[in-house]
Amino acid sequence: MKAFESVRGLVGNTPLVELRSLSPNPGVRLFAKLEAQNPTGSIKDRIVLRILESARASGALAPGQAIVEASTGNTGVALAMFGRLMGHPVEVCVPESVYPEIEQLLLVYGAGIRRVPRQAGIKSAREVAKDISRETGAYYLGQFDSPENARTHYETTAAEILADLAEAGGVHALVAGMGTGGTVSGAGRRLKEANPACHIYGVEPRLGVHVQGLKSLEDGFIPPVLDEAVLDGKILVGNRHAFSHARRAMLAEGIFGGISSGAVLHAGMRLAGRMTSGNVVLIFADGGWKYLGTDLWREDDGDDQPDDGEDPLDDILWW
Ligand SMILES: Cc1ncc(COP(=O)(O)O)c(C=O)c1O
């Protein structure tokens, strides 16, 4: 029988696709890992399923117990689906600025929604979720806090990348968005173990700029999950470049990525321009569907033109 036992079997093992036409440098190969291929359409299926399974196994989460979490989108959607599948009522605390498509998805999957004021952001949504957990006894998923988050990326995301590029010479750089920091911390650690010369770059929005799924460390909240020691640098990206590069991925390579994928592509192309050779892996954390209601897909300002040499690399912070 070739059928999967459950949708749980579809998590991970996402494809890696070379972006042949987008590398600005013939010696550097860019590869995108398409996390939109997960069952709810994002990388968050990996960590949510893992946290739920380990909490059930340890007894921290009882059968039928309610679950609460703070999320700006993808984690909430993944939790709404897997929580329900495993028999748990789910409530997600979202900042009011969340895209309407995300609330619609949460409702489709049967989750409850608690809105927190727009200005308060994810930091305060996390506090609200913790309060609800204390008051009602609901299990707090804790994507920003759980060691299972980075561990999942260490054991699955990075292992898949290493296997896929073993014959192509391995991995020389990883570029991934930073929300909780789980992807860069877990996958980054494993890739550095495999090749200590592999560089790890986190992509974050400029302070005050909203890039869905990503957060600025400059806002004063450093997620406990984030291991800054793994990072070789962080690359700040604005919305304009994130949007224009999501469009480029679609037009040049037929890849329908989300806003953070556009930000990561922009950062990866910048990086590739500075390297002489090597394989660069870009994590495309979700797909473009949820952002159809935004300006993302509207060509507006000529920004789709190659921007080589346009801005100096002053948006790459090295350390
Ligand atoms: C669309 C999107 N991109 C990137 C990220 C960042 O991933 P991580 O939380 O592992 O840092 C997230 C989640 O936070 C996300 O939803």
Side-chain angles (χ1 to χ4, degrees), residues 23-38:
S23 176
N25 182 341
V28 180
R29 300 177 74 180
L30 294 178
F31 297 90
K33 189 153 174 69
L34 304 188
E35 291 296 312
Q37 304 284 326
N38 284 297

Side-chain angles (χ1 to χ4, degrees), residues 221-240:
F221 170 52
I222 309 287
V225 162
L226 176 66
D227 178 3
E228 285 187 271
V230 172
L231 289 178
D232 292 283
K234 61 181 183 175
I235 304 176
L236 306 183
V237 177
N239 246 327
R240 214 175 81 136

Side-chain angles (χ1 to χ4, degrees), residues 43-44 72 74-75 143 149 153 177-184 212-214 260 285-286 291:
I43 196 166
K44 294 300 183 175
T72 56
N74 286 327
T75 301
Q143 62 166 333
N149 179 344
H153 294 297
M178 291 198 291
T180 63
T183 310
V184 282
Q212 176 64 27
L214 307 187
S260 79
D286 70 358
Y291 314 109

Side-chain angles (χ1 to χ4, degrees), residues 17-20 22-24 28-32 265 268-269 272 278-282:
V17 178
E18 183 161 10
L19 309 178
R20 283 188 187 270
L22 290 172
S23 176
V28 180
R29 300 177 74 180
L30 294 178
F31 297 90
L265 174 60
M269 289 172 70
N279 295 331
V280 178
V281 173
L282 312 174

Side-chain angles (χ1 to χ4, degrees), residues 113-191:
I113 297 175
R114 174 81 68 98
R115 294 196 183 130
V116 303
R118 183 189 179 91
Q119 300 309 334
I122 191 65
K123 201 160 112 186
S124 114
R126 178 169 163 269
E127 294 309 320
V128 171
K130 284 181 169 178
D131 286 346
I132 292 174
S133 164
R134 270 190 295 270
E135 284 158 20
T136 67
Y139 176 78
Y140 169 61
L141 190 85
Q143 62 166 333
F144 290 93
D145 308 271
S146 169
E148 296 291 351
N149 179 344
R151 202 172 291 146
T152 307
H153 294 297
Y154 180 92
E155 287 178 11
T156 71
T157 317
E160 294 163 21
I161 294 168
L162 287 170
D164 287 347
L165 288 180
E167 283 167 21
V171 185
H172 304 96
L174 174 77
V175 183
M178 291 198 291
T180 63
T183 310
V184 282
S185 304
R189 187 158 64 86
R190 178 78 174 256
L191 295 181

Side-chain angles (χ1 to χ4, degrees), residues 87-110:
H88 302 274
V90 168
E91 182 163 16
V92 183
C93 302
V94 296
E96 272 169 351
S97 53
V98 76
Y99 292 126
E101 287 78 2
I102 285 170
E103 287 202 355
Q104 286 165 3
L105 269 172
L106 290 172
L107 292 173
V108 168
Y109 281 125

